[in-house]
Every structure is written in structure tokens, then in C-alpha cells.
Amino acid sequence: MKSQQISKSDNYILEHCVDKLARINNSDYALGFLVDGDSSPYLINVDSQTVSAPELLFEPIKNKLNKDLIDYFSDKPCLLKDLFCYEGHESDYDDLLNNEYIDNLRYIPIGEGSELYAIVILINIELSVRSKDLIDVTPFLLATITLLKNKKRATKMLPIKARNDLTSKKFQDQGQKILDSMLKNTFHPAFLFNDEFQVLKSNLAAHRLFNSNLERGWPVMDKLINSTLPGIAFRLLTSISKMSFLGHLDKQQWQNVTLVLNSYQSVTVDIHLFDIVYFGRQCFGLMINEKTEVDVNHEVYNASLQRFNALTSVVPMAILQMDKDFNCSYVNKTWAKYTNQNTQQSLGKGWLSSIKTLDTDEILSEVIRAISHSNSFKGEIELTTVAGQGLWVSMNAVGLFNDRFELTGLILTMSDISDERSNSQKLQKMANYDHLTGLSNRAFFTDRLTLALARVPRHGITALMFLDLDRFKNINDTLGHHVGDIVIQEVAERLKSVVRDEDSIARLGGDEFAIIFTDITAENVVALIANKIVSAINLPFTIEGKVMALSCSIGVSIATEHNVSPIDILRKADLALYKAKDLGRNQFCFYDPILEKDLSLLHYLTDDLNHPQKSGFFFVFQPLMNASNGSVMGFEVLARWSNSEMGMIGPDIFIKTMEENGLIQDFSEWLFYEVILQVKLWVSEGLLVAPQKVAINLSVKQLHLIEFADSVLALFKKEKIDPSWFTLEVTETAFIQDPAIAGQNLRALKKAGFLIALDDFGTGYSSLGLLRQMPLNYIKIDRSFIQDILQDSEAEKIVLAIISLGQMLDLGLIAEGVEDIETKEWLVAQGCICHQGYYFHKPLLINRASELLKTHQNIEFLPNL
Ligand code: C2E
Ligand code: CA
Ligand code: CA
């Protein structure tokens, strides 16, 4: 016999199946064919009894089978269609039946549904054997099917049908949707699970029956079946195993079985088990039909109720049960302890009167929202306690649902968190508040500012105010820090009294405060408040019996819709504050884009000062003239600075910027050095002759440096130049702010040979006392008076007074800003002959100054002043 053999082990089950079938049917011959939809049948086995059968027998059978298979796969009627069908006399089979060896034959297709995996052909069976007699063979047949099916899947990956049916995916998806929607809408609890017993899908009814939380997953299905359906668990699980092994099984049902929900609740149900293809995978469905209401085992129930009561009375937690409209039906003892409300008072809506939290309605609707979303709520609320005080509790709520999964009620639990809260409040207070004033600190302020700015696009104007006390350092230095602290506290109180409750005040550190104003209707409202604050701080402070006057400077920046970056707003308020200080303190100033210029100015100034050649900086010399004979008495050195970006900037501006930013000392050292070189040159050339002087302006900041005089003298010593060639110009401010150090510096300098001139006299305090104390040689009458003397009798009187004061105190007089001949004549007539002004000369570049010195060589000098 020529047969295509496949290894015995590969087809062990099919061979046994053929054997078994042959024996049961008592056939003469049995043949097994493997079928593949694409190729002709493939003989894998002949029954042992057929070993002697002639080849003649097989050929016609194979041919016939081939034809039948083609018909079968093209859906034409054929013998294969009927399982176990015996056809002995049909013409179609005449050829076969005419064969001397064949009396009858039976096809036994091995497959499932429309899938065909193998065919067993039995020849010459006993006709008395009926289909029902074959029942014993069924397990073999099914096992064979499963094996062949798996083999086919393994080799072809997909069943034949799925492989060539592209439209089936669409139908499958649609089917899936229908299935999902059916599950969702049925009142019968249902589960879909896979052969690993993992639940793939369950419906609301299932969750309701098992009182499960939707967030929590299901246990594996075999576990669930074992614990809830103990009566049929074994049979049910066996059926499922069989199903998964065999690939399919008819629907299975168990009626009136007990489903155990928990230790005291059970329900009678019908169970339907079915197989189903879910997303291309063989799965199982379990549907439960509840026949009775939940049975309550009263004995077990009572026991559990007692347990419940015992527990609820001892737990340190208030427990309340209520319907979905918050009508309370149960409270435990802890609730009464917390609130001093007894059960009777708490029932219905009574319990709500113990909720201290203001927005109760909002919280309750939040509870409902959370429950319907995730069946749990967690929050913190305040209760009214026995003494009418507040008690903070953390509140949890879970929902209770009916059959249709509608919310019917709630269980609330509350536990005391007042300790926790007060600790965390303390910590929060420490982290967020300034301990001295109780105002917000910088960290908290930044948070608030960010929040306030986020509101800007929807709400009114938000303004940020920076406030800095003027000369607060003096208070700390002279009266001590404890007085400083009291002042700060008093300032905080005054600020609170001026601003609205909703405005937030913060102490940023030292004597700096910030205030955020939200929902402001107009900018001028902020200006009004700023004004009020300035006045409030101006009111006298009485501390430890001492009365003192204080002032503050304020910078304001306004946040607009297009400008809500916290960093930007802070910077702008800071710039405005600087401006307010600049303008003379004790005032407020709004941010203005012009202020930005100051910033770039600082940037460029710093760059240039760091440059070895101090690029951009230079100086000019303005002659001081003897107005009566036209001789040059000396020069005042005036600094200049120009920058390619910013153009020429006046010294009034850049000197101040350097002073404020600690750059003045660097600059001054450079200037001194350069001027010394120039003076040395002039002296060596014989251009500068005693008693001519070169005047250099000193900054207030320099005079306040203890080592200032020493450093100047060291430089002069090093450069070997006599200080008596120089005049130093100082302003009164230096003496007002720090008379001790300024006086010390000046005395040392004067002693070394420098002359000292008091600049801008008349604009400041013009204090006679100071004039006496200070080591001065000259007074420079400020040009604002000089320029007005001919038009303004007041200015005239002032200048006359200054002149007589100078004469009285034996001080030389220099008139600044003489611009015309009339002014010059008037001053000379009053005895003031040293003039500086455009009438004679504007400030001159070095070579022009040198020229001037040359041309005036022969002029007779005035006596030394
Ligand atoms: P200042 O010390 O009062 O200098 C005199 C100012 O009056 C100069 O302005 C000068 O150009 C100007 N001036 C002189 N005569 C006339 C006149 O007839 N009419 C008018 N309208 N103005 C006249 P400048 O150069 O702008 O200097 C301004 C201020 O800058 C100076 O005032 C001084 O306080 C400060 N400064 C200039 N250079 C230096 C310096 O090197 N160091 C320091 N610390 N300050 C300086
Ligand atoms: Ca000057
Ligand atoms: Ca001056």
C-alpha cells in the first residue's frame, strides 16, 4: 500500500479515532484522511484490519472523496453534509459500490461548524449500528477535532474561514458592539471571561448584585464561582474547561441554584453558561437570572447586625446613614459625642445644624457629584461642638444603590482631625507668615501674586505696590533693633488700617512691604490708596516715649491683560520704587517705561567701568573766573559719559545711578587718577600756577566711607602731588546723613592741604550751624538763585544773604551759573568776584582748557582765597 504517512505520534489521536470507529461499527476497512481546504485529502491511516486490502480499494475512494470535498467547500450538496449518513444506493456511488470489496461505506467528517479537519471513512460496517450507538466514540471525535484544530491554527495561524473573509472583521466589530450594548442594558448580571478566567466584561447588574465598586476589578472567575456558587462550582468549572479544550459546547444551564453573596445573604438564581467569540477570541459568558429577592438568613443577619452596632459604637468616628436627599436615618454614638446632638435631633435634616462649614450646600452637591462619579467622597468639614466651638473632621461618603444602580442613600463617616489640622495650620502659618507682623511672608506673597495675576484677564485691574521706609536704617542704628521692630509692627498696623480687607499685605523683609490690590476699578484708585499710605506713615510714631517722624517711598505697577508675568510686575514695581526714592522719597511713583532706561544705563555703565580704559567716560574742565579782571582762577572737573546706544548722558543721571549701585568708588578712583595726571602735566608745563585750583566733586557716598580720606591721601602720596592744587566740592547732604564720618573725612583732607567747597548752597538745609561745624573754605551759590537774581527779588535777597553769611564766616564765595553780563556786574557789585558760568566759558575739553591756561598766563591773579 502506498500511503502518505505522517509520523504516528503526530496523529496519535486521529489513528485511535479511526481504530475506535472501525471497531464499534465492526467495519471491514477504516480510512482516515486529513483535510485541508486547499489541497486534496491526505491519507494518514488505514485501519489495521485493512493491511491486506488491495490498492484497488483506495484509489476510487480517494477520488470520490476528492470530488465530494470540492462540492463541500463550494457549498454543493454532497454526502459529507450529513454526519454519519449512510448512503448505499445512490447513483453517485455506483462506481464505488460496484467495487467487489465494498458493500457500503460511511463518511465520518471530523470538524466543527463549517470547519472540516479530517474525514474517516468506514467500509462495510454492520448496518444495525445506529447513530446513537456511536455516543461512546464522541469523546474521541471531539478530542481529535481539538487536536487537529490546534494543529491547523499553529501551521496556518488562522482558521480557514477567517483567513479569506475580509468582511468578517467588520461584522465581528458590529457584533461586539451589539454584545456590549446588550450586556449593558440587560437587568441580568452577566460576565464575559477568557480561558484564563479573567473577567473581560461585566455589566452594571453584576456590580449591583455583588455590591462591587466599579473601580475595583473582579477576582478571577473561578474564584468567584467557587465562593458564590458552591453548589454547582465543580460542574460549572468542568464545563468551562471542557469548552476551552474542545473549542465549543452547547449552552449549559443550571436552574434554582444558590448564589451566596456574603455570610448572611444569598439569592436563588438560574445560571446560563455559553461560549462566545469576543474580539476574535474564544470566550465564555455567564449570565445570572435572579429568581428571588436577596434571602436574608436572620440568624446570621442578627449576629452581623449586633457586630455592626458594637463596631459603630466603639469606633472613634461618627457614622451617619441617610437617603440621597440627606435625610438622616441613623447616627452612631461618636456623632453625638462630637456634636452633642442626640439621635432624635440628628434625624432627617437635623444633623445639618451641626455642620459649621459655611458652604454646606456646595459640599453636599460635591458629595453627590463625587459619589456618582467614583462612589466615594473625601473632604474636610467643620462641625459645631458641645461648646459651640469648631471641630474639624475628615469626611468620607459612600453611596448606596438600588437594583437599577440608582443612588438611594449614603453612608457618611467623620473622624476628628483637629489636632492634625492645628499642627498643620501652625506649620503653614510658620511657612507663610512673617512672625513679626503676622503679615504674609515673601513665599506666600509670591503665591498670592501668581493667583491674583491669573485672575487679571477676567477681573478688574490688579496692582502691585512696593513700599520701603525711608532711612529706616537710621532708626535701627541709633535706637536699636527692638525699636526698629516696634516701628515695623506699627507700620504693618497702619497699612492694614488703610487698605481693604481683600487686599493682601506682605512683609518681604527688613522695612520692605508689598501690597496686592485686586479687582480695582481704575488706576487712580490705587493712586488714592498710595497717597493715603504715605500720609498714614507720616503721622508721628511714639515709641518708648520718643516721638519720631517717618516717611516711606512707594512704587506701583499695574497688571494688564497683556502683562501678567509675576517677574515682570515685580521688577516694574521695584523700578517705580527706586524712582520714588530718587525723586526725594516720601512719595509714590507709578511704573513708567522710561524707567527702563535707567536699567540699561546701569548695564552699560557697569560694562564701561569694567573696561580698563573706562571707555565712554571722560571729563571736561569748566573755568572759574575772576570776574573783575578776567583771569582763570581754576577749573571744576565735570564728568561726562557717552554711549553708542544711549547717546550723551548727563552726570546728574549717571552719577546717581553709580551711587545707587555701588559703582561710584571705582569711578572716582579712576577720575582722581586721570585728573592728577593732567594737573601734574599742567604744573610741569608751567600752565597751572598756584594759587590756581582744580575742583573735583565728591559724592555723598564716598564721604560716608570711613577709609575714604585715607585712600585719597594714599593716592596723592603715591603720585607725589600736593593736595593744595585741589578743591573738593561737597554738598550739605553728606553732613546731614552722616555728620560724624563725613566731618572726619573732610577734616583729614583739609588738614592734608585740600580746599573744601560747599556746593549748591541754598538748595539744601542751608543750616548756619552746619556751616560753622564743617571744615569749609568756600561756598558755591547754587545757580538756580544766580540765574534768577535779576527777575526775582526773593532770589536776590537769598543771594545777598548768602554773600553776607560767607563774609561773616570768612568763607570764599563762588557764583555758579553766571550766564550774562548783567548778572556778572551785579555779583561783582556785591563783592562776589569768583564766577563760573556760560558767560565766561562752558566746560572745556582738555586741550581747550590747556589753551585757555596758556593765553591767561600773564593775567594778574587775585589774592588767594
Ligand atoms: P555741579 O557740581 O553744580 O556742577 C555745575 C553744573 O552747572 C555743571 O553741570 C555745569 O555744566 C553747569 N553749569 C555751569 N555753568 C552753567 C551756566 O552758566 N548755565 C547752566 N545752565 N549750567 C551751568 P553738569 O556738568 O551737568 O554737572 C551736573 C552735576 O553733576 C554737577 O553739578 C555735579 O553735582 C555732578 N557731577 C559732575 N561731575 C561730577 C563728578 O566728577 N563727580 C561727582 N561726584 N559729581 C559730578
Ligand atoms: Ca560742583
Ligand atoms: Ca553746584
Side-chain angles (χ1 to χ4, degrees), residues 636 697 729 759-761 780-783 816 836:
E636 177 178 3
N697 291 285
E729 297 191 4
D759 210 351
D760 307 337
F761 190 75
K780 290 184 87 170
I781 310 168
D782 193 73
R783 69 171 187 271
E816 262 185 349
Q836 178 182 356

Side-chain angles (χ1 to χ4, degrees), residues 58-121:
F58 299 112
E59 250 353 279
I61 288 178
K62 236 177 126 176
N63 290 339
K64 176 66 184 136
L65 181 60
N66 233 341
K67 189 179 168 293
D68 276 343
L69 282 172
I70 291 165
D71 289 345
Y72 174 77
F73 285 116
S74 57
D75 271 338
K76 282 195 193 142
C78 70
L79 191 64
L80 282 173
K81 294 276 185 229
D82 305 304
L83 181 66
F84 298 153
C85 174
Y86 170 70
E87 295 290 337
H89 308 289
E90 269 195 34
S91 57
D92 230 10
Y93 291 86
D94 283 351
D95 283 354
L96 279 181
L97 297 175
N98 286 341
N99 189 302
E100 57 170 310
Y101 296 104
I102 303 172
D103 287 330
N104 60 59
L105 84 160
R106 177 176 282 178
Y107 277 20
I108 300 176
I110 296 179
E112 86 183 302
S114 58
E115 294 281 345
L116 189 64
Y117 303 117
I119 287 169
V120 175
I121 296 176

Side-chain angles (χ1 to χ4, degrees), residues 416-571:
D416 181 355
I417 50 158
S418 49
D419 280 356
E420 219 173 277
R421 210 178 151 92
S422 78
N423 282 339
S424 86
Q425 265 174 351
K426 261 183 229 154
L427 279 176
Q428 200 186 11
K429 224 182 153 103
M430 264 161 64
N432 289 337
Y433 293 94
D434 167 45
H435 66 100
L436 186 62
T437 58
L439 299 174
S440 310
N441 62 12
R442 187 181 283 275
F444 195 37
F445 158 78
T446 316
D447 287 354
R448 289 207 168 177
L449 181 66
T450 312
L451 277 179
L453 293 178
R455 286 164 53 91
V456 167
R458 282 172 293 118
H459 297 78
I461 300 166
T462 288
L464 172 66
M465 200 178 263
F466 266 177
L467 182 147
D468 190 285
L469 296 179
D470 299 330
R471 302 196 179 88
F472 177 70
K473 193 176 169 293
N474 285 355
I475 296 181
N476 264 343
D477 290 352
T478 54
L479 301 172
H481 285 275
H482 75 285
V483 175
D485 284 355
I486 300 172
V487 170
I488 292 291
Q489 284 168 334
E490 174 68 27
V491 169
E493 287 311 312
R494 291 189 190 186
L495 292 178
K496 281 189 218 163
S497 71
V498 174
V499 306
R500 308 169 303 174
D501 283 349
E502 60 265 42
D503 303 325
S504 62
I505 315 174
R507 178 173 172 233
L508 305 183
D511 59 337
E512 281 176 46
F513 295 84
I515 310 172
I516 304 165
F517 298 91
T518 47
D519 306 346
I520 295 278
T521 45
E523 283 186 25
N524 63 357
V525 177
V526 190
L528 279 175
I529 303 171
N531 221 341
K532 269 196 199 165
I533 293 175
V534 170
S535 313
I537 303 297
N538 277 335
L539 294 174
F541 283 72
T542 309
I543 289 159
E544 295 187 337
K546 288 194 189 73
V547 180
M548 54 186 106
L550 238 82
S551 66
C552 69
S553 302
I554 292 174
V556 185
S557 74
I558 304 278
T560 62
E561 221 170 302
H562 314 287
N563 177 10
V564 286
S565 135
I567 293 173
D568 201 36
I569 298 293
L570 287 168
R571 191 182 60 84

Side-chain angles (χ1 to χ4, degrees), residues 694-710:
V694 172
I696 294 181
N697 291 285
L698 295 187
S699 148
V700 181
K701 289 271 149 81
Q702 293 174 290
L703 280 173
H704 290 165
L705 296 173
I706 298 176
E707 69 281 16
F708 175 68
D710 291 345

Side-chain angles (χ1 to χ4, degrees), residues 690-791:
Q692 286 177 319
K693 307 278 178 201
V694 172
I696 294 181
N697 291 285
L698 295 187
S699 148
V700 181
K701 289 271 149 81
Q702 293 174 290
L703 280 173
H704 290 165
L705 296 173
I706 298 176
E707 69 281 16
F708 175 68
D710 291 345
S711 69
V712 172
L713 294 176
L715 177 67
F716 276 71
K717 202 170 165 196
K718 188 172 158 243
E719 294 301 321
K720 298 190 180 71
I721 180 142
D722 185 353
S724 61
W725 290 107
F726 293 86
T727 302
L728 299 177
E729 297 191 4
V730 298
T731 57
E732 274 176 296
T733 338
F735 293 90
I736 308 289
Q737 283 179 18
D738 201 338
I741 295 177
Q744 202 178 305
N745 274 323
L746 281 184
R747 271 187 293 275
L749 291 166
K750 191 178 178 195
K751 197 171 155 218
F754 289 100
L755 297 186
I756 311 292
L758 186 62
D759 210 351
D760 307 337
F761 190 75
T763 55
Y765 295 76
S766 312
S767 133
L768 194 63
L770 265 182
L771 283 183
R772 273 190 213 221
Q773 279 171 34
M774 281 160 56
L776 299 175
N777 303 89
Y778 305 97
I779 298 174
K780 290 184 87 170
I781 310 168
D782 193 73
R783 69 171 187 271
S784 57
F785 303 110
I786 303 292
Q787 278 164 351
D788 286 352
I789 39 178
L790 298 179
Q791 300 91 28

Side-chain angles (χ1 to χ4, degrees), residues 667-679:
F667 162 78
S668 179
E669 273 170 24
W670 167 80
L671 183 96
F672 263 103
Y673 180 76
E674 293 291 321
V675 174
I676 288 172
L677 286 188
Q678 188 58 48
V679 169

